[in-house]
Amino acid sequence: MSITELDKQYVANTYNRFPVEFTHGKGSVLYGTDGKKYIDMGAGIGVTSLGICDDGWVKAVTEQVMKLQHTSNLYYTEPCALLAEELCKRTGFKKVFFSNSGAEANECAIKVARKYAAQVKGSDYSTVVTLNNSFHGRTLTTLAATGQPKFHEDFQPLTPGFVHATAESIYELEAIAAKYKVAAFMIECIQGEGGVVPLDYDYVHELFSFAGYHKILTIVDEVQTGNGRTGKMYSYMNYGLTPDIVSTAKGLAGGLPLGATMMSEKVQNVLGYGDHGSTFGGNPVCCAAANYVLSQIDDKLLSEVTEKGEIIKKELTGAKGIVKVVGLGLMVGIITERNVSDVVNDCLKKGVLCLTAHDKVRLLPALNIPKDLLYEALAVIKEACAEE
Ligand SMILES: *Cc1c(COP(=O)(O)O)cnc(C)c1O
């Protein structure tokens, strides 16, 4: 049987995969069993932040693999401690909890918020308010947080204590806070799976000041937007915000599973011994990978991310069949006249990998994608969008 046939027979039917089998790659290029080369404008959904098998990343990972691959969290290891220090130094957060995915990073954020609210305001202050159209993960709790009913349908009952608001008027949040006992607001500054939707600057600031006034914690889900994706280390920095808790994952370790929940001074000691844990979380190999990724995300790389984002907007805006280009840095959404899956399928046939998010074509290329490949991919995307 072919790889595709084996997969179709034995892997659960949760993914509607594209008809391509990848074997290897380098940087922003992937190679398939069809002998073709593909330019990667999706980076494994914003995960391979330095591209495929970046030399320095491979070295950092292999050196760690050959020294020590796992200890459990019963012991101290250097990569984990150094990574926590680096994340705190870059953000001002005081403590980090490591897990293995975005959903788990959010689960931890929610646990911290509920325990804090219980201590400070009372154990009935457990409601977490998230936004319509948000995406926070696939566990039963983070599904409850996700403000898209289509994901909820077959899996009731979900974890109680989540209320969704529309990211339009602060009055709705005020009404919710009057009706429910709210522990935290949780937002993505740019909704990713919801269709690359940046939240309104004033709305986010009103939300934060309302939260501050009512002792409601603010959680920013930076799973997709974090680690340089938007041209800043974290997307909340574009908004000049100071969240109480930030979760991240996807691009953090450049292709190995790692989630992180960062806690501000206010909540740094909320979790005590035994309150939370993860067998794999903070694994030395994943942390060594993340330490290398962070070492590469400097001001120069971040300004290149911004510059390449501008190039994408400039090249695509006004092109035939393209209605609008939105997003920040290398997190881009394209509204097309054609059906988005037709565009993405045509791009695939022409050797360019793109993503979709709701009604948009979504681009999340590696932060270090070379400009020549970027222009090459944009030409293909334009061609696909221009078709009737
Ligand atoms: C992808 C994503 C998640 C879930 O991350 P997993 O690693 O798949 O659990 C959560 N929040 C946001 C904003 C995401 O983009």
Side-chain angles (χ1 to χ4, degrees):
M1 275 199 265
S2 70
I3 297 166
T4 301
E5 286 162 350
L6 276 174
D7 187 299
K8 279 192 190 295
Q9 180 156 347
Y10 294 110
V11 177
N13 299 321
T14 58
Y15 304 110
N16 187 10
R17 302 193 205 273
F18 288 99
V20 55
E21 304 164 350
F22 287 122
T23 51
H24 62 292
K26 189 73 192 167
S28 286
V29 174
L30 282 159
Y31 300 92
T33 50
D34 54 7
K36 283 205 227 161
K37 150 192 154 172
Y38 295 84
I39 303 175
D40 187 4
M41 293 297 283
I45 320 188
V47 167
T48 47
S49 35
L50 302 176
I52 304 295
C53 297
D54 172 86
D55 290 336
W57 183 89
V58 168
K59 185 166 176 279
V61 170
T62 47
E63 278 178 6
Q64 185 58 46
V65 162
M66 290 192 286
K67 275 197 285 197
L68 178 66
Q69 85 275 31
H70 176 82
T71 59
S72 87
N73 280 304
L74 298 171
Y75 312 101
Y76 298 100
T77 60
E78 186 181 47
C80 172
L82 288 178
L83 179 59
E85 179 196 28
E86 182 65 16
L87 287 170
C88 288
K89 276 191 173 162
R90 288 205 177 202
T91 57
F93 286 106
K94 300 297 182 204
K95 284 204 191 292
V96 186
F97 180 87
F98 291 114
S99 52
N100 316 287
S101 67
E104 286 171 279
N106 286 336
E107 291 264 349
C108 175
I110 294 161
K111 283 179 79 170
V112 172
R114 285 200 169 152
K115 189 171 176 198
Y116 176 84
Q119 286 173 348
V120 172
K121 298 166 83 176
S123 59
D124 46 346
Y125 278 80
S126 59
T127 300
V128 176
V129 183
T130 64
L131 298 178
N132 287 325
N133 200 44
S134 59
F135 184 85
H136 297 294
R138 302 286 199 153
T139 62
L140 288 169
T141 295
T142 55
L143 262 188
T146 294
Q148 301 190 56
K150 68 170 181 189
F151 291 116
H152 297 171
E153 273 158 27
D154 298 327
F155 306 104
Q156 300 290 343
L158 304 178
T159 306
F162 289 87
V163 175
H164 306 118
T166 311
E168 266 167 24
S169 130
I170 196 73
Y171 299 114
E172 196 182 336
L173 284 181
E174 291 175 7
I176 289 170
K179 182 169 173 198
Y180 300 92
K181 297 195 179 229
V182 177
F185 294 148
M186 177 155 140
I187 62 166
E188 300 155 87
C189 289
I190 304 172
Q191 296 182 328
E193 303 304 311
V196 191
V197 182
L199 294 190
D200 179 69
Y201 186 92
D202 291 336
Y203 174 80
V204 174
H205 279 268
E206 284 173 28
L207 181 150
F208 268 68
S209 58
F210 182 80
Y213 189 75
H214 291 276
K215 291 199 169 65
I216 292 170
L217 291 176
T218 51
I219 304 172
V220 178
D221 178 343
E222 296 269 3
V223 172
Q224 187 160 156
T225 49
N227 313 302
R229 177 57 50 195
T230 67
K232 297 268 189 207
M233 188 61 194
Y234 290 101
S235 73
Y236 71 79
M237 294 169 177
N238 294 294
Y239 287 77
L241 302 168
T242 323
D244 296 309
I245 305 170
V246 161
S247 57
T248 191
K250 287 195 168 86
L252 178 59
L256 288 175
L258 183 63
T261 308
M262 297 183 260
M263 293 165 255
S264 65
E265 190 158 17
K266 199 195 278 183
V267 295
Q268 63 172 325
N269 294 319
V270 170
L271 295 181
Y273 292 135
D275 276 344
H276 200 40
S278 166
T279 299
F280 287 116
N283 169 284
V285 179
C286 299
C287 288
N291 281 321
Y292 183 76
V293 169
L294 292 190
S295 78
Q296 298 304 294
I297 304 179
D298 54 11
D299 288 345
K300 183 167 166 285
L301 185 73
L302 291 173
S303 65
E304 283 169 19
V305 167
T306 303
E307 189 201 342
K308 287 174 199 166
E310 295 303 322
I311 290 175
I312 297 175
K313 279 198 182 141
K314 188 156 163 277
E315 284 295 307
L316 298 184
T317 303
K320 187 161 184 269
I322 293 177
V323 179
K324 201 175 172 192
V325 186
V326 296
L328 205 56
L330 287 175
M331 180 168 180
V332 178
I334 310 165
I335 303 174
T336 57
E337 283 172 13
R338 290 183 76 199
N339 172 295
V340 286
S341 48
D342 292 344
V343 171
V344 169
N345 284 323
D346 280 1
C347 286
L348 179 77
K349 281 184 201 136
K350 293 174 180 172
V352 173
L353 306 173
C354 299
L355 306 166
T356 60
H358 268 207
D359 55 338
K360 298 190 187 79
V361 175
R362 176 174 44 157
L363 308 179
L364 300 171
L367 305 182
N368 61 357
I369 185 172
K371 278 191 194 157
D372 56 338
L373 284 178
L374 180 63
Y375 278 110
E376 211 181 306
L378 292 175
V380 169
I381 293 166
K382 274 201 272 194
E383 216 176 271
C385 290
E387 269 169 45
E388 300 292 326

